[in-house]
Amino acid sequence: MTKKSVVTEAQEIQLAIELIKLGARLQLLESETSLSRERLLKLYKELKGVSPPKGMLPFSTDWFITWQPNIHSSLFIGIYRYLCEHAQISGIQAIIKAYKLYLEQAELDGNGEPVLSLTRAWTLVRFFDSNMLETTACSECEGHFVVHRLDLHHNYTCGLCHMPSRAGKTKKAKSEAAALAA
């Protein structure tokens, strides 16, 4: 029988609490902690008051390439890489710190939620680690943006320098414009 350290278990619980407060899905918690699924379910219900959402995690790189998610993903991955290079942190701690900094800078969507959830940020890092995504510099603003690794990126122009024609044409933007005009 192996002995489990009380201190290690307490650290795992604290990590799980922090991840849950940031909006982590159960699959992320299971992957990043050694706590049992039952323990994580109990913890989630205690903190959020509801059962965790069901369903699969995002598995496609395409979401990170679309216009608005690309801008937010590029901001997050830039923060994450900077922290890994200059703050000597890595793994889930780097993701947590980068995500908190991202939240300080990012605008919320129409539902009061960040465009990039913690689970998507974690998935994004995994896509970078598996060389499915990378960043490339915009030929106009020289910012670095998330792109598919195997796509051609010669003279790449980002979504900020070349906005799609429907960018910002949400119901919320229309109602705010109507309110300003009145």
Side-chain angles (χ1 to χ4, degrees), residues 86-173:
H86 300 289
Q88 285 77 41
I89 58 172
S90 61
I92 193 64
Q93 292 303 324
I95 292 171
I96 290 169
K97 289 188 188 319
Y99 191 71
K100 286 179 178 178
L101 288 168
Y102 159 77
L103 289 177
E104 290 178 12
Q105 301 303 314
E107 249 185 61
L108 303 179
D109 68 7
N111 301 324
E113 296 289 322
V115 172
L116 186 70
S117 69
L118 177 65
T119 301
R120 285 207 188 265
W122 176 75
T123 304
L124 177 65
V125 170
R126 292 179 64 165
F127 284 152
F128 269 81
D129 290 346
S130 62
N131 292 322
M132 294 172 75
L133 294 173
E134 66 181 9
T135 58
T136 194
C138 173
S139 59
E140 292 184 31
C141 68
E142 297 180 11
H144 289 263
F145 293 86
V146 175
V147 294
H148 287 116
R149 189 176 77 77
L150 298 175
D151 285 352
L152 300 175
H153 308 299
H154 183 68
N155 289 329
Y156 172 80
T157 305
C158 70
L160 291 172
C161 293
H162 184 72
M163 283 190 169
S165 60
R166 302 279 305 153
K169 303 284 195 276
T170 62
K171 288 181 183 178
K172 182 184 176 203

Side-chain angles (χ1 to χ4, degrees), residues 11-123:
Q11 290 170 339
E12 293 276 319
I13 291 170
Q14 190 59 44
L15 174 61
I17 289 170
E18 188 171 12
L19 290 169
I20 291 168
K21 286 181 178 176
L22 288 171
R25 299 272 301 267
L26 193 59
Q27 295 94 325
L28 189 159
L29 297 170
E30 286 178 313
S31 179
E32 295 298 333
T33 68
S34 61
L35 299 173
S36 70
R37 182 175 179 85
E38 293 77 29
R39 193 98 187 252
L40 291 169
L41 280 167
K42 245 187 226 182
L43 196 56
Y44 194 98
K45 286 178 184 177
E46 186 176 331
L47 289 169
K48 294 281 190 174
V50 294
S51 295
K54 292 177 176 48
M56 294 176 57
L57 290 181
F59 60 88
S60 173
T61 56
D62 294 339
W63 184 87
F64 299 101
I65 305 302
T66 59
W67 178 73
Q68 189 178 31
N70 184 263
I71 294 164
H72 286 259
S73 300
S74 300
L75 173 63
F76 170 79
I77 204 69
I79 296 168
Y80 172 79
R81 284 179 161 177
Y82 183 87
L83 289 175
C84 289
E85 287 177 30
H86 300 289
Q88 285 77 41
I89 58 172
S90 61
I92 193 64
Q93 292 303 324
I95 292 171
I96 290 169
K97 289 188 188 319
Y99 191 71
K100 286 179 178 178
L101 288 168
Y102 159 77
L103 289 177
E104 290 178 12
Q105 301 303 314
E107 249 185 61
L108 303 179
D109 68 7
N111 301 324
E113 296 289 322
V115 172
L116 186 70
S117 69
L118 177 65
T119 301
R120 285 207 188 265
W122 176 75
T123 304

